[in-house]
Amino acid sequence: MKQLQTIFSAMVFTGVSLAMTATGAGAGEPGLMQGFPPAPEQQVLRTNFMVPPNNRWAFQHIRELQPTREVWRGDGPVSKLSETAADLGKITAAVRDGRIISLDQLLEESHTDAFLILHHGKLVFERYMNGQQRHTQHQMFSATKSFVGTLMLLLIEQGRVDPARTVASYVPELEDSGFGDATVQQVLDMTSAIAYSEVYDDPNSDIWRYGWVFGLWGAPPAGYDGPLTVYGYLPTLKKQGEHGHGFHYVTPNTDVLGWIIRRVTGKSVDHNIEEVLWQPLGAERDGYIWLDAGGTEMAGGGLNITARDAARFGQMILQGGKFNGRQILPAAVTTRILQHKGDPEVFTRIYSQFEGTEWYGTIAYAYHDQWWTFNNAHKAVSAIGVHGQYIYLDPVANMVVVKQSSSPDAEGGANESNDTDGPLLYQALAEQLMKR
């Protein structure tokens, strides 16, 4: 995902071994959280965990820093992933600035913590770095949105949610907010017209006020008198423009979907993930989700899971909802995720006006139902989170790529290696795997 680093501050609308693990449990960024106690300059705290290099440790340890709730895998057997090692580390592709890089180079350059590839459901490549291990639950940030979108598509398919109805018809508490007269589908597609700026390196941006709700930046500054729960925060957001006009990335859209899911099912988002996805998938480990001060989950970006379990979720979608010997999602839901590519004109209508936003329409093709589509030959779709989190699905090559990272930049800067170079290389990997 690539957001606008500078524009919205002035504008409100708008390798070969299959199980390569780092040595030493808890190893990672040198010096961080080592010793009893760690030296003051090496301590990762709630007040500094988003600051690099502290994030290199923190993204594998969120539950030690923030309130969370587990996503229970249940007590059933773990579904097996067949393994067939392939020598893929030397495969190359042309990326930014005409460079030719290999997969090995990408993993080194892009602050990788975990990376794996499934091809036709078989694990063909797996690598762990920066102290991460196979059992480590890693922060997924906005890749969480695609899980929430998938749950909403299931409710739509079941007839429990009508995507043409307004948000307020499900959540009257939001009637006077900017979301009130938006349709559920507009919120799913992020075409709701909300006055909101999402610039991660600007403390004046709206995403920072969202961050105070979930403790992303520690305690709010002195004098802050805004809401500290997501239920208090969402009603404060206002409308600007016309719903449906264009794609505008607003993380709280997903928290609105989470509120609707809670209202319709009577269960939290994480409980829905647990029952609908995690237990039927035969997940290897519990997941967990980040909470606000009132115990409400961060639907917009709070999920923490292992790389292998992320891959199971992706492979299930590629297999028409079938996995672990059962039909987990209706085929209609997974077909919509993979084949409803989104509207590229709506996707670029706002962002194409500004210099420095070429990623929209060149690397990315569109956004739909809380999933991204890439502008490559296979029109791959992906869950994407800041700092380099990916669950990338190529329906032509039957390939799943999972990448968990801890880039020092949320987007842009060092994270271009994840957001731009990565998808270009994944297409080359898909083409090579298809030849094999």
Side-chain angles (χ1 to χ4, degrees), residues 181-292:
D181 61 343
T183 67
V184 173
Q185 188 61 56
Q186 288 165 341
V187 173
L188 267 168
D189 292 339
M190 294 218 188
T191 61
S192 59
I194 305 299
Y196 195 84
S197 58
E198 188 145 340
V199 185
Y200 294 92
D201 60 0
D202 178 5
N204 296 312
S205 174
D206 291 294
I207 192 63
W208 276 66
R209 285 184 279 279
Y210 178 86
W212 299 134
V213 171
F214 288 103
L216 266 77
W217 335 111
Y224 176 81
D225 59 358
L228 290 175
T229 67
V230 73
Y231 289 150
Y233 173 74
L234 293 175
T236 69
L237 298 178
K238 301 303 180 184
K239 183 178 179 181
Q240 184 169 316
E242 293 299 319
H243 298 310
H245 170 71
F247 169 76
H248 177 202
Y249 194 88
V250 174
T251 283
N253 274 310
T254 316
D255 293 281
V256 169
L257 296 176
W259 199 339
I260 295 171
I261 289 169
R262 273 183 169 242
R263 184 61 52 84
V264 170
T265 67
K267 299 174 182 177
S268 63
V269 167
D270 46 281
H271 197 155
N272 275 276
I273 292 174
E274 190 176 87
E275 289 189 347
V276 174
L277 300 171
W278 234 231
Q279 293 173 9
L281 282 169
E284 216 164 292
R285 283 214 70 185
D286 295 342
Y288 63 90
I289 199 161
W290 192 331
L291 306 174
D292 71 8

Side-chain angles (χ1 to χ4, degrees), residues 407-426:
S407 171
D409 295 307
E411 56 199 9
N415 203 49
E416 288 287 359
S417 57
N418 285 306
D419 287 344
T420 299
D421 298 346
L424 294 170
L425 187 52
Y426 304 157

Side-chain angles (χ1 to χ4, degrees), residues 165-169 171 174-183 194 243:
R165 281 179 55 182
T166 65
V167 167
S169 70
V171 184
L174 292 174
E175 183 172 5
D176 295 330
S177 76
F179 299 104
D181 61 343
T183 67
I194 305 299
H243 298 310

Side-chain angles (χ1 to χ4, degrees), residues 119 378 392 394 397 399 425-435:
H119 186 227
H378 295 177
Y392 178 98
D394 186 321
M399 179 186 79
L425 187 52
Y426 304 157
Q427 177 67 23
L429 285 167
E431 292 167 0
Q432 287 296 318
L433 286 169
M434 289 173 70
K435 290 177 183 178

Side-chain angles (χ1 to χ4, degrees), residues 291-328:
L291 306 174
D292 71 8
T296 303
E297 60 279 5
M298 190 201 301
L303 190 61
N304 294 259
I305 56 177
T306 70
R308 282 194 171 201
D309 285 338
R312 288 178 169 90
F313 172 65
Q315 188 63 38
M316 178 269 294
I317 291 173
L318 285 184
Q319 293 177 178
K322 295 180 181 178
F323 196 84
N324 196 26
R326 59 196 297 183
Q327 189 75 39
I328 295 173

